Amino acid sequence: MKPTRVRYGMLFLVFVNVVINYLDRANLSVAATTMSGDLQLSPAQLGWVFSAFGWSYALLQIPGGLIADRFSPRILYAFCLVTWSLVTVGQGFVRGFTALFGLRLATGAFEAPSYPMNNRIVTSWFPDNERASAIALYVSGQFIGLAFLTPVLTMIQVNAGWKGLFIATGGIGVVWGVLWYLLYRDPLDHSTVNAAELAHIESGGGLFRKKEPQPGQTSMRPGHAWQWANVKQVFASRTLWGVFIGQFAVNGSLWFFLTWFPTYLVKYRGLDFIKSGYLASVPFLAACAGLLLSGFISDRLVRQGTSVEVARKTPIISGLLLSMSIIGANYTNDTTLIIFFLALAFFGSGMALISWVFVSILSPKNLIGLTGGVFNFMGNLASIVVPIVIGYLAKDGDFKPALVFIGVLGLLGASSYILLVGKIRRQ
């Protein structure tokens, strides 16, 4: 029997989730230049507002991973999509710093389980030798969506104001949350997947069968009750610490582009607001290209028999080193060269974003959601630190130290993979 290809349809649904997820993270960056004037926010206050999402999002990653292990992605994702989208709508009605900061905290809280759920879904639906490509495809949603929709968001703000921007992006998420619930199913619950596809997934390392809970255990999907020893097991691994630090570095670059990038172009480089919306698309397209190239090359190397260490680590290390090229923008006033250096750096960051594959490869089999939560927690500490640090570094009107800071993070991440991540094996 020829295997069906239902898994790619489920992957497309995750891809759309990621697009909406990142629209509701990045809409603030588009609104910031006008919004900060209307609400009288200083650069330092703007940095804190940019970081607010990260405080709750990062701190709730471990609980989010545990929740992702326990509840069906169909129900949990629908709940998260609708709630964070309603909070996004609410941001269109704020009148000051405190309300905006609080609603961004709420957005991060409701989005917290999303990436652990993405990883659980891909681990359930895809065998090991297709997983880096699958991760690259759904993660590319954050870049493809922002690349093509940033000009759209810019035009919405021009015509409807920053309030209309938040209402529009939030309303889209509410509608999609309902559609997700209607369309998504796990492998064993999907009516059109055949036995050959299930066998293909499972024989290749896909994990979709529930285990019966042992006496004294809860009915969590992996068959494990909550234990602090599980958290200790994840944090005790030097190899996992290597990928955790690397993910912090990758996300450092990402969160510059998700927060300060449009403000950098308009306020610190003097570009027209509408023009900046189109130019801002270029680095996102470059990051998407880097991500897809890295994912497909990495999977191809695995299928050709290249060691996992080389196939998975080389694109990530190369990408992190390439992300240091962002510093080159400090040495030119030519708009084309500025965008070139930023796009080249984000291309490298995109290459490194297949790092989620290490959660599937390295996690203890019964702790995939928890490990994904810790991984995302450590990585998204950058969403707290980077916007605030940039706000203070740029408070005197000079953005050059901020770009050096982002470049140094790339070196830190590459060093972590080189020095800490050893032999690739399940912990």
Side-chain angles (χ1 to χ4, degrees):
M1 183 183 297
K2 184 177 181 180
T4 51
R5 301 172 68 85
V6 175
R7 61 192 183 280
Y8 294 105
M10 299 301 99
L11 183 63
F12 175 75
L13 298 181
V14 175
F15 171 89
V16 177
N17 288 353
V18 171
V19 171
I20 293 173
N21 189 303
Y22 272 81
L23 283 180
D24 290 336
R25 299 186 195 193
N27 50 14
L28 179 62
S29 69
V30 175
T33 50
T34 303
M35 191 182 204
S36 60
D38 290 349
L39 301 182
Q40 298 182 338
L41 303 177
S42 69
Q45 285 180 311
L46 188 58
W48 280 95
V49 169
F50 279 144
S51 77
F53 174 94
W55 285 95
S56 53
Y57 184 78
L59 292 175
L60 292 175
Q61 280 307 296
I62 295 176
L66 293 168
I67 291 170
D69 273 340
R70 183 160 190 160
F71 295 100
S72 163
R74 181 191 180 203
I75 297 172
L76 182 59
Y77 228 139
F79 171 80
C80 291
L81 278 160
V82 171
T83 50
W84 90 55
S85 298
L86 290 174
V87 170
T88 298
V89 171
Q91 292 167 49
F93 299 93
V94 297
R95 296 183 178 180
F97 170 81
T98 303
L100 180 59
F101 188 86
L103 288 175
R104 293 301 291 183
L105 283 173
T107 306
F110 288 121
E111 286 196 20
S114 58
Y115 262 70
M117 278 192 288
N118 293 344
N119 191 63
R120 174 180 162 180
I121 291 166
V122 168
T123 303
S124 297
W125 273 103
F126 285 86
D128 290 340
N129 64 1
E130 296 177 5
R131 204 165 290 153
S133 301
I135 290 171
L137 285 168
Y138 82 68
V139 174
S140 71
Q142 68 195 48
F143 301 125
I144 293 175
L146 293 176
F148 289 102
L149 295 179
T150 294
V152 176
L153 296 180
T154 302
M155 295 308 300
I156 291 174
Q157 176 162 316
V158 168
N159 291 285
W162 59 266
K163 296 181 179 181
L165 175 62
F166 285 113
I167 293 169
T169 52
I172 291 169
V174 172
V175 173
W176 179 252
V178 175
L179 291 174
W180 166 267
Y181 180 79
L182 295 174
L183 296 173
Y184 179 78
R185 297 293 187 278
D186 284 332
L188 293 175
D189 299 325
H190 204 287
S191 60
T192 61
V193 65
N194 66 8
E197 184 174 13
L198 292 177
H200 170 73
I201 295 168
E202 190 169 29
S203 64
L207 304 174
F208 57 78
R209 294 194 185 276
K210 298 178 182 179
K211 295 183 179 180
E212 294 299 323
Q214 299 299 315
Q217 293 180 335
T218 68
S219 58
M220 291 173 66
R221 175 179 174 269
H224 258 235
W226 160 253
Q227 298 176 22
W228 279 107
N230 295 343
V231 179
K232 182 178 179 181
Q233 179 182 353
V234 172
F235 276 107
S237 168
R238 171 179 168 172
T239 297
L240 288 176
W241 267 105
V243 297
F244 294 159
I245 295 171
Q247 191 66 3
F248 177 89
V250 173
N251 278 2
S253 176
L254 173 64
W255 277 95
F256 159 70
F257 283 96
L258 289 178
T259 55
W260 280 101
F261 178 43
T263 302
Y264 167 70
L265 294 180
V266 174
K267 184 176 179 180
Y268 295 90
R269 287 299 190 173
L271 299 183
D272 174 77
F273 180 73
I274 295 177
K275 183 179 180 181
S276 72
Y278 288 96
L279 290 177
S281 298
V282 178
F284 287 110
L285 288 172
C288 180
L291 173 64
L292 294 175
L293 178 67
S294 179
F296 286 108
I297 288 178
S298 181
D299 273 352
R300 182 169 183 175
L301 290 173
V302 170
R303 287 193 291 269
Q304 291 176 343
T306 305
S307 70
V308 175
E309 282 79 6
V310 173
R312 302 306 195 197
K313 289 165 67 173
T314 301
I316 295 174
I317 294 170
S318 301
L320 284 164
L321 292 174
L322 193 58
S323 72
M324 296 176 64
S325 61
I326 195 170
I327 298 172
N330 285 339
Y331 299 96
T332 180
N333 291 317
D334 183 84
T335 300
T336 301
L337 286 176
I338 291 169
I339 296 301
F340 169 77
F341 283 119
L342 293 172
L344 183 62
F346 213 19
F347 175 86
S349 296
M351 289 180 63
L353 272 171
I354 66 164
S355 50
W356 266 98
V357 75
F358 283 109
V359 177
S360 298
I361 296 172
L362 298 173
S363 300
K365 286 187 177 181
N366 293 330
L367 301 175
I368 292 174
L370 174 61
T371 307
V374 174
F375 176 81
N376 218 20
F377 163 72
M378 298 298 291
N380 277 282
L381 288 176
S383 66
I384 301 171
V385 174
V386 170
I388 294 174
V389 170
I390 290 176
Y392 283 100
L393 289 175
K395 67 179 181 179
D396 295 325
D398 184 4
F399 213 86
K400 291 180 180 179
L403 295 188
V404 172
F405 169 64
I406 299 301
V408 170
L409 287 180
L411 178 61
L412 172 68
S415 300
S416 176
Y417 271 95
I418 293 169
L419 300 175
L420 294 179
V421 180
K423 185 175 176 61
I424 303 302
R425 58 181 177 82
R426 192 170 299 281
Q427 302 298 291

